[in-house]
Amino acid sequence: MRELITLAAEGGEDVNPLVPATYDIVWSIVCVVIIGVLFWKYVIPRVTKTLEERTDKIEGGIARAEAAQVEAQQTLQQYQQQLADARLEAARIREEARTQGQQILAQMRTDAQAESDRIVAAGHSQLEAQRQQILTELRSEVGRTAVDLAEKIIGQSVSDEAKQAASIDKFLSELDDTAAIGVGR
């Protein structure tokens, strides 16, 4: 450093070490201008184009997102409407099924009552038929027993059919009258 100061002192000029030489300043300005022109002509248009593409993409994405949101809202409203319609339809079907079930139960009760009445009537008619059959058998048995007893008591044969039938009928009617009096008490 001392040498530099001594050289400068010998030259007679006062040189500032912080200020560059004129040729350095000129060449630096030329380089800056060339780089500036290259940037202005090639780099800045590309950067501007990229920024515009990104802006368009972003704005298009926002527009598509808004359109998708509107479509989603419409779809949601349609879904909610369909869901409400389905609920109403389900309620109508449940009510219809309940009504049909009540009608079926009423019909089954009616059918069961009719079947019960038919069975009871058939039972009564069967009982009446059996009663008549038993009465007929009992009358003939009582008649034979009465004829046998009468023959034993009288000691002679009561074999005439007409007399025998008349005697049996008379005996049975007396027996019925006695039973009716016994029941009336």
Side-chain angles (χ1 to χ4, degrees), residues 51-68:
L51 288 176
E52 286 175 358
E53 287 176 356
R54 285 187 181 177
T55 303
D56 290 342
K57 221 179 210 182
I58 290 171
E59 288 175 357
I62 290 172
R64 284 191 304 273
E66 288 174 353

Side-chain angles (χ1 to χ4, degrees), residues 70-82:
V70 167
E71 184 179 339
Q73 187 67 26
Q74 290 173 348
T75 304
L76 177 63
Q77 288 174 350
Q78 288 174 351
Y79 170 74
Q80 288 174 341
Q81 181 63 37
Q82 288 174 349

